[in-house]
Amino acid sequence: MKRPFWKQGGRFLYALSTVNNTARLLVITLLYAVFAAVYLRVAFPEPPEPKIERRWAAPRLLVSDSVLYGFVQELLAQSSSDPSPKGMVHADFYISQVLFEHAPIPSPGKHVFQYAVQEDNWSLKELCNRYHLLAPIDTAFMRQQMTYSTGFGLEQRFLPNYKIIPVDTVWALVSRLGHNLNHMQVLRGRYNTTSFSWLSSPLFSHDKQKVIVEINETCGGGLCGSGQTWLLQRRQGRWHKVRLLSEWIS
């Protein structure tokens, strides 16, 4: 026997109310879950991330190895290891075949040692404003290179035709033999040379076409040595002397 329609409608309404109650319960449960998550996040925040301790080290230079060693190799190609007039006929600079990786005694900077030439009776500002040899962007870039020059050092693998002496070797000899220049006699015998050279960390202009560099040499005896600081400019594949900034001799 078929049920009356009003009884069938009542059954449908009951089923609908059951679905509504289930949905209502689900929504309430989700709201409680969101509230609980927010409360727990506020009441129990995550611990802060630990700060990384920064230590001074040797930061990378602001120019690539290709730029740095491209300049050094061209500078050496324009130099002679023979200081006699005959040896210097076609050379622009005298540089020994035996080089220290950088200055044996670095210049103290604000936080770290520096291997770039320092302003002494000359200044980047003067080269820019008075002589118009540098642009303002060059002086800013060079000053940054001064600050981060602690990472400078010549590497033997890039200069196979020269002998590069690690400065650690020098100071190991000083520690063993003392500051009486006996270590230089040992180095002269070990490397079969009468002189040593070293370069400052070169300061490049923004377009890499100008460089400030100091070229130094010593006989290793403590009583003879010299150095010159030059502003150089690259033209037609060569580095040309633009201005002698400073020099020393002993």
Side-chain angles (χ1 to χ4, degrees):
M1 184 175 177
K2 193 173 182 181
R3 289 174 181 267
F5 72 91
W6 60 84
K7 290 186 177 181
Q8 292 181 12
R11 189 174 180 180
F12 173 77
L13 292 176
Y14 173 76
L16 184 61
S17 64
T18 302
V19 172
N20 290 338
N21 289 337
T22 303
R24 189 181 301 111
L25 180 61
L26 180 60
V27 170
I28 293 173
T29 303
L30 289 175
L31 289 175
Y32 272 115
V34 172
F35 173 79
V38 173
Y39 172 77
L40 291 174
R41 186 62 180 268
V42 174
F44 305 98
E46 294 182 1
E49 294 183 3
K51 294 183 178 180
I52 300 175
E53 184 178 1
R54 303 292 182 184
R55 295 181 180 274
W56 282 104
R60 290 186 59 83
L61 300 180
L62 299 182
V63 296
S64 64
D65 285 344
S66 61
V67 171
L68 172 64
Y69 281 98
F71 164 73
V72 173
Q73 289 166 355
E74 291 177 344
L75 186 70
L76 294 176
Q78 295 179 218
S79 305
S80 172
S81 57
D82 180 4
S84 68
K86 182 179 179 180
M88 296 296 295
V89 170
H90 301 292
D92 297 314
F93 312 95
Y94 166 72
I95 299 179
S96 171
Q97 288 284 130
V98 182
L99 297 100
F100 294 119
E101 64 173 326
H102 50 57
I105 303 177
S107 302
K110 184 177 181 181
H111 298 286
V112 293
F113 288 124
Q114 298 176 345
Y115 296 105
V117 62
Q118 303 299 302
E119 294 166 293
D120 181 18
N121 297 324
W122 63 274
S123 69
L124 294 174
K125 182 178 180 180
E126 185 180 46
L127 293 176
C128 176
N129 296 338
R130 181 177 179 182
Y131 298 109
H132 307 290
L133 296 174
L134 297 174
I137 192 173
D138 297 329
T139 64
F141 188 47
M142 287 179 168
R143 207 168 290 284
Q144 284 184 310
Q145 293 172 75
M146 284 183 179
T147 302
Y148 295 106
S149 62
T150 186
F152 172 73
L154 299 179
E155 296 185 37
Q156 183 67 70
R157 59 187 175 130
F158 294 122
L159 302 170
N161 297 325
Y162 287 77
K163 296 177 182 178
I164 308 300
I165 304 177
V167 172
D168 288 345
T169 299
V170 179
W171 286 107
L173 288 173
V174 171
S175 299
R176 182 158 56 91
L177 302 176
H179 289 270
N180 51 13
L181 299 179
N182 287 337
H183 65 287
M184 296 302 295
Q185 295 180 11
V186 172
L187 291 174
R188 290 174 69 173
R190 181 180 298 179
Y191 291 94
N192 190 28
T193 184
T194 58
S195 65
F196 306 84
S197 295
W198 69 93
L199 306 175
S200 67
S201 178
L203 304 177
F204 292 89
S205 62
H206 190 261
D207 62 2
K208 314 300 188 301
Q209 297 304 300
K210 293 181 181 179
V211 169
I212 295 177
V213 65
E214 184 180 22
I215 304 171
N216 304 278
E217 66 91 18
T218 179
C219 66
L223 299 177
C224 57
S226 63
Q228 294 182 330
T229 300
W230 285 97
L231 171 62
L232 308 175
Q233 184 173 11
R234 196 171 191 274
R235 297 192 301 268
Q236 299 178 343
R238 288 182 62 88
W239 290 97
H240 297 267
K241 297 176 179 178
V242 175
R243 188 177 184 85
L244 177 63
L245 303 180
S246 65
E247 60 182 332
W248 65 271
I249 189 170
S250 65

